[in-house]
Amino acid sequence: MASYRLVWFQHLHKAAGTYVIRRAMANGETFWPTHENGNPVREGEVIPLWKMEGNDLTAFIDECENSGVTFVACEWGGADFEILANDERVTLLTCLRHPIKRLISNYNYDHYWMWTKATSYAEYLNEGHLHSSSEYYTRIFARGKEDLAIAKSNISLFDYIIIAEDGMSALDELGWSKESDTTHPTFGDKKRASILLLKLRWIRLFNYLKQRKHLPPTELQIEEKNKLDMDLYNSMRD
């Protein structure tokens, strides 16, 4: 059994990931010296962990061990899960949220932060970003493919799979007993409201202050577009 432990967190957008990262930080995990919300950064760029294969990924874990890094987040794609699972130093962790609720939260978050130019869910889904695409979870765990079997096989390699709606008690098993009060809600952020005010986005500011949540239209059939994700999510809850 390895004495060194690296918690590898597959961060899924708007699925309580920032809470998990702050909980790790509150409980003394050591992050990469320069990072963006747990994602290691080198020379000003996030290290593309999701593109690393075989020996390159093992070499990165070696570097983490030599540097004393005990927590890494991977947010922008799925890593080589088999390499990670077969390395006794690595503990695989992820957190899922109901796929449709996650998508709605992500759309509203990006809309009010003006991080998307999309004016509708149809445009948002077609922007080409992984986190705003249909079957997001499946694509992450199948490493870019819409293949449910591969996604299920890869997620089965994880040591801890948290369902956000069911609570975070699994984090205690990692030794993270100290609570973190960090949340990342869509509404109630004064900075976001001030940005909308400065940019003279009056209607959007009004809607934000009223906490108006934009929902996908029925005709878009959002559930049908994410049926693989729903299957994956429900199988994890079962």
Side-chain angles (χ1 to χ4, degrees):
M1 190 73 176
S3 58
Y4 167 73
R5 181 188 75 172
L6 175 65
V7 177
W8 188 286
F9 177 52
Q10 182 62 57
H11 183 177
L12 303 168
H13 280 225
K14 302 309 293 178
T18 296
Y19 170 82
V20 173
I21 292 165
R22 295 295 187 267
R23 180 86 173 257
M25 193 175 293
N27 283 276
E29 298 292 349
T30 302
F31 286 54
W32 193 264
T34 304
H35 67 91
E36 293 180 3
N37 205 24
N39 296 275
V41 172
R42 179 178 278 143
E43 297 179 356
E45 299 290 337
V46 172
I47 300 173
L49 303 174
W50 58 97
K51 294 181 180 180
M52 290 183 177
E53 306 286 347
N55 292 335
D56 289 338
L57 186 53
T58 299
F60 175 77
I61 298 169
D62 292 341
E63 188 175 356
C64 287
E65 181 174 14
N66 293 333
S67 302
V69 173
T70 62
F71 182 93
V72 164
C74 181
E75 183 175 359
W76 304 107
D80 189 331
F81 299 115
E82 288 192 17
I83 292 293
L84 294 171
N86 288 329
D87 193 315
E88 65 175 1
R89 298 170 294 178
V90 176
T91 296
L92 283 168
L93 166 70
T94 195
C95 182
L96 282 72
R97 179 184 181 187
H98 187 285
I100 307 305
K101 292 180 180 179
R102 186 212 70 82
L103 177 61
I104 291 171
S105 179
N106 216 148
Y107 176 81
N108 281 275
Y109 191 83
D110 286 354
H111 172 76
Y112 285 115
W113 265 115
M114 296 186 295
W115 286 344
T116 177
K117 294 181 180 179
T119 58
S120 68
Y121 273 89
E123 290 181 11
Y124 189 65
L125 292 173
N126 290 318
E127 279 190 320
H129 302 303
L130 182 59
H131 68 273
S132 62
S133 65
S134 299
E135 310 292 20
Y136 168 59
Y137 291 160
T138 304
R139 292 174 190 267
I140 283 284
F141 292 105
R143 304 195 69 203
K145 300 176 181 178
E146 282 193 35
D147 191 313
L148 182 60
I150 294 176
K152 284 186 174 181
S153 177
N154 281 334
I155 201 171
S156 72
L157 299 172
F158 276 65
D159 300 285
Y160 297 95
I161 303 167
I162 297 172
I163 302 299
E165 290 86 351
D166 295 341
M168 297 288 176
S169 60
L171 297 181
D172 293 335
E173 297 179 34
L174 288 165
W176 299 352
S177 58
K178 187 176 180 181
E179 186 57 81
S180 169
D181 60 0
T182 301
T183 57
H184 214 201
T186 297
F187 298 104
D189 190 307
K190 293 181 179 179
K191 179 181 178 181
R192 192 170 319 176
S194 65
I195 290 173
L196 293 172
L197 177 63
L198 289 171
K199 291 184 177 292
L200 306 180
R201 298 298 183 98
W202 304 115
I203 295 176
R204 195 170 300 195
L205 174 60
F206 176 80
N207 287 334
Y208 183 75
L209 294 175
K210 290 292 184 180
Q211 298 192 11
R212 182 192 174 196
K213 184 180 290 186
H214 297 277
L215 301 175
T218 303
E219 60 269 21
L220 191 58
Q221 296 183 312
I222 202 71
E223 289 82 5
E224 180 66 20
K225 285 181 167 61
N226 291 278
K227 60 183 179 181
L228 299 182
D229 275 13
M230 285 303 305
D231 188 315
L232 181 65
Y233 172 81
N234 287 327
S235 69
M236 293 302 102
R237 294 204 79 174
D238 293 340

